[in-house]
Amino acid sequence: MAGRADSTVLAGARVVLPTGTVENGRVIVEGTRIAGSAPEGAPTVDLSGHWLVPGFVDMHNHGGGGASFTGGTVDEVLTGVRTHREHGTTTLVASTVTGEMDFLAHRAGVLSELVEQGDLAGIHFEGPFISPCRKGAHSEDLLRDPDPAEVRKLMDAARGTAKMFTLATELPGGIDSVRLLAEHGVIAAIGHTDATYEQTVEAIDAGATVATHLYNAMPPLAHRAPGPIAALLEDERVTVELINDGTHLHPAALELAYHHAGAHRVALITDAMDAAGFGDGLYQLGPLAVEVKDSVARLVEGNSIAGSTLTLDTAFHRAVTIDRIPVDDVVQSISANPARLLGLYDRVGSLEPGKDADLVVLDADFRLKGVMRKGEWIVEPQIG
């Protein structure tokens, strides 16, 4: 890994800025941040024929590189973080899965230290406050209604680092839990839910602002019972997560979400588990056994999809080349939108002076060629 230069000019690439794409643009890196100007004689990296985009921000991720955020040691968590950084994710929230309350509280304490050190951007609690009807890869025996007191227990255990809770808001205590989270500036996300359209609208009005992996683990859209999907897509206050791995969603479903919600309301996520960036084999997701075959993760018992093996560089490539989503829209969905939701847009999510020098270099075919985080190359581009 290369070290960090005091000042470097990245020149010649197509640079995606909040205002649009600039041909033959340049980004100046000074120390850990993006600068507005460069001193005379600063070294230049020629990125002609490439794209330069902001570092990716993943707000829903359970692990990678063979390591679990749910149950791994600190070193194992850091292995997972490094794996995703090598695939362009420079800002990452660690997601848990359903477990015993005391275990989750302990886990929050472990992960919060890594947030405080700057290795993680926060904690997302996915379960145990979800519907047994739509549990997916969560242990049904450990599910519970979203009691605000128990939600508060996990918030306190996270010491201010909890960023999001996924709730089945139709369950007893769901609406009160949404209000509690909203009052404390924590995202209430609707997911793993069996809610009706009307129940979903009630939760959004109470303060829920995110759809956890839209379409997955919720009732399908039907013409007389539109369910949560219609309510989540139509409300401007809601950002919808999408897992663009070719397994979780049909391309038409992805296109529908972009068309109806708009790119400004889409967050591309991985929902990755341990196998991301690691390979096929047998894994654990919380207490459940998972088999990964041909890069698709499924529970050994029941065959339910169990997270993904996706990395965000693959999600980006697929969105642009297969789904034909405009590059500027994909950048908004994979960087700016999640950064705003997490309250981090003042530091990450776009290429602007004063922000962290977090960026990704892609070739003309949108394959990852370089990753910089806080001015240091994680993957140094081999140009020429």
Side-chain angles (χ1 to χ4, degrees), residues 70-90:
T70 298
T73 65
V74 168
D75 285 344
E76 287 170 341
V77 172
L78 292 174
T79 294
V81 170
R82 283 193 296 272
T83 296
H84 285 283
R85 284 181 185 170
E86 289 167 0
H87 290 273
T89 299
T90 50

Side-chain angles (χ1 to χ4, degrees), residues 258-311:
Y258 266 96
H259 176 77
H260 201 75
H264 67 290
R265 288 180 46 219
V266 171
L268 293 178
I269 62 161
T270 61
D271 194 17
M273 47 82 71
D274 313 18
F278 200 68
D280 289 358
L282 292 173
Y283 296 86
Q284 288 290 126
L285 187 59
L288 302 178
V290 175
E291 181 178 14
V292 178
K293 185 177 180 180
D294 297 328
S295 298
V296 177
R298 293 187 180 275
L299 291 182
V300 171
E301 292 188 16
N303 206 39
S304 174
I305 294 176
S308 84
T309 61
L310 185 64
T311 52

Side-chain angles (χ1 to χ4, degrees), residues 197-231:
Y197 173 89
E198 291 77 14
Q199 289 170 327
T200 306
V201 169
E202 182 185 10
I204 296 167
D205 287 341
T209 56
V210 166
T212 294
H213 42 56
L214 185 73
Y215 301 112
N216 300 117
M218 59 182 64
L221 185 67
H223 62 292
R224 283 193 293 270
I229 293 172

Side-chain angles (χ1 to χ4, degrees), residues 77-150:
V77 172
L78 292 174
T79 294
V81 170
R82 283 193 296 272
T83 296
H84 285 283
R85 284 181 185 170
E86 289 167 0
H87 290 273
T89 299
T90 50
T91 302
L92 186 148
V93 170
S95 301
T96 64
V97 296
T98 294
E100 296 282 1
M101 284 295 296
D102 287 344
F103 172 79
L104 290 174
H106 171 74
R107 197 69 199 155
V110 173
L111 295 173
S112 66
E113 292 184 12
L114 294 175
V115 178
E116 291 158 3
Q117 290 173 197
D119 296 300
L120 295 170
I123 303 170
H124 162 218
F125 293 97
E126 187 180 18
F129 310 116
I130 60 176
S131 172
C133 302
R134 305 286 174 177
K135 65 182 185 298
H138 291 255
S139 178
E140 186 168 356
D141 294 343
L142 299 174
L143 300 183
R144 53 214 298 136
D145 291 339
D147 180 348
E150 293 193 323

Side-chain angles (χ1 to χ4, degrees), residues 16 51-54 56 87 244 268 310-323 325-332 334-335 360 362 365-367:
V16 181
W51 290 82
L52 200 55
V53 301
F56 307 145
H87 290 273
N244 191 24
L268 293 178
L310 185 64
T311 52
L312 281 181
D313 58 329
T314 298
F316 192 113
H317 181 267
R318 183 179 179 86
V320 175
T321 61
I322 295 175
D323 304 306
I325 307 296
V327 176
D328 289 12
D329 288 352
V330 177
V331 167
Q332 193 172 5
I334 212 166
S335 299
V360 174
L362 304 168
D365 297 320
F366 301 99
R367 299 288 186 187

